[in-house]
């Protein structure tokens, strides 16, 4: 999408995908010759005796140049099975992830679901759960479809709100930037 990036080691925890499905998608994106040596995939939280935080900490210790960890999805990464969430519980869960990322100077992206039936014009009101999720995070992206277009909205601490209009390119499974829109929520 024409943003400057820095090549780094990445850990992608694909907790809802199968190896076959993800391998097919990566093959479409990068071809079969792509070595992928800097991208590490995992499909489950490995050991019952270790928390996810410990597993990520061990990975960062083994690969100290890691600057990006993606967890897909937050629901699978939470360490409790309670279905009743409160602002305080959501905030506490997010704060653990934020403190982990801050202490290791890396970016942690948590993929989460949206509500399908909100009437609010603010896309961040679509984030499933309480405002505690957004309250503890440094920022949030919401990918959503509206009036036949796909938008990626961003809000964050110390950053202006941003809106990108995207188009999905299915041949290589990549999102392309169509334009940047000025948007206030």
């Amino acid at each position: 999408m024409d943003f400057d990036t820095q090549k780094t080691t990445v850990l992608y925890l694909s907790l809802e995908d199968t190896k076959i499905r993800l391998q097919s998608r990566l093959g479409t994106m990068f071809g079969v010759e792509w070595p992928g040596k800097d991208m590490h995939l995992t499909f489950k939280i490995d050991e019952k005796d270790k928390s996810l935080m410990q597993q990520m900490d061990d990975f960062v210790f083994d690969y100290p140049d890691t600057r990006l960890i993606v967890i897909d999805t937050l629901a699978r990464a939470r360490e409790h099975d309670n279905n009743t969430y409160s602002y305080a519980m959501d905030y506490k869960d997010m704060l653990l992830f934020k403190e982990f990322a801050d202490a290791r100077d890396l970016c942690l992206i948590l993929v989460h679901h949206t509500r399908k039936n909100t009437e609010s014009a603010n896309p961040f009101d679509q984030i499933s759960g309480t405002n505690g999720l957004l309250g503890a995070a440094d920022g949030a992206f919401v990918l959503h479809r509206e009036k036949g277009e796909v938008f990626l909205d961003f809000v964050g601490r110390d950053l202006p709100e941003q809106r990108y209009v995207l188009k999905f390119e299915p041949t290589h499974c990549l999102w392309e930037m169509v334009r940047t829109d000025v948007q206030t929520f």
Side-chain angles (χ1 to χ4, degrees):
M1 294 187 342
D2 293 329
F3 290 107
D4 290 333
T5 60
Q6 177 184 346
K7 187 175 179 176
T8 186
T9 298
V10 174
L11 173 61
Y12 182 78
L13 292 105
S14 182
L15 304 177
E16 289 189 337
D17 269 325
T18 64
K19 291 178 184 178
I20 293 170
R21 182 175 179 215
L22 194 56
Q23 185 170 358
S24 172
R25 191 177 314 138
L26 290 170
T28 300
M29 291 172 70
F30 302 112
V32 294
E33 300 300 320
W34 177 66
K37 65 181 174 68
D38 294 325
M39 184 170 175
H40 300 263
L41 305 171
T42 211
F43 297 90
K44 62 182 179 175
I45 299 170
D46 288 334
E47 301 174 30
K48 291 184 180 183
D49 297 345
K50 290 187 178 180
S51 71
L52 175 60
M53 295 297 174
Q54 184 62 53
Q55 183 179 339
M56 292 188 306
D57 203 36
D58 291 348
F59 181 87
V60 173
F61 181 80
D62 291 341
Y63 299 93
D65 62 334
T66 301
R67 291 294 166 262
L68 175 62
I69 296 176
V70 179
I71 301 174
D72 187 358
T73 67
L74 173 62
R76 294 281 178 117
R78 285 182 143 174
E79 294 186 1
H80 51 80
D81 294 328
N82 190 345
N83 288 330
T84 56
Y85 295 103
S86 65
Y87 180 95
M89 187 180 297
D90 282 349
Y91 191 92
K92 180 181 173 188
D93 285 351
M94 290 302 294
L95 191 57
L96 290 172
F97 289 111
K98 179 181 174 6
E99 289 172 345
F100 175 89
D102 288 349
R104 288 147 190 89
D105 192 30
L106 57 82
C107 176
L108 179 60
I109 297 174
L110 291 160
V111 178
H112 190 49
H113 296 283
T114 57
R115 295 184 201 109
K116 305 298 183 212
N117 57 352
T118 183
E119 295 181 15
S120 173
N122 183 339
F124 298 97
D125 289 341
Q126 296 176 11
I127 295 173
S128 184
T130 72
N131 289 333
L133 294 173
L134 189 54
D138 282 334
F141 292 92
V142 175
L143 182 68
H144 60 103
R145 189 175 306 274
E146 194 178 294
K147 299 177 186 173
E149 291 188 297
V150 177
F151 296 96
L152 180 65
D153 291 313
F154 173 76
V155 66
R157 291 190 175 120
D158 305 321
L159 293 173
E161 297 167 347
Q162 299 171 48
R163 171 172 269 193
Y164 306 107
V165 181
L166 306 178
K167 177 179 76 172
F168 187 70
E169 194 276 297
T171 305
H172 295 100
C173 292
L174 297 173
W175 289 98
E176 297 176 347
M177 176 84 73
V178 174
R179 70 180 183 277
T180 301
D181 278 2
V182 175
Q183 177 68 29
T184 56
F185 307 108

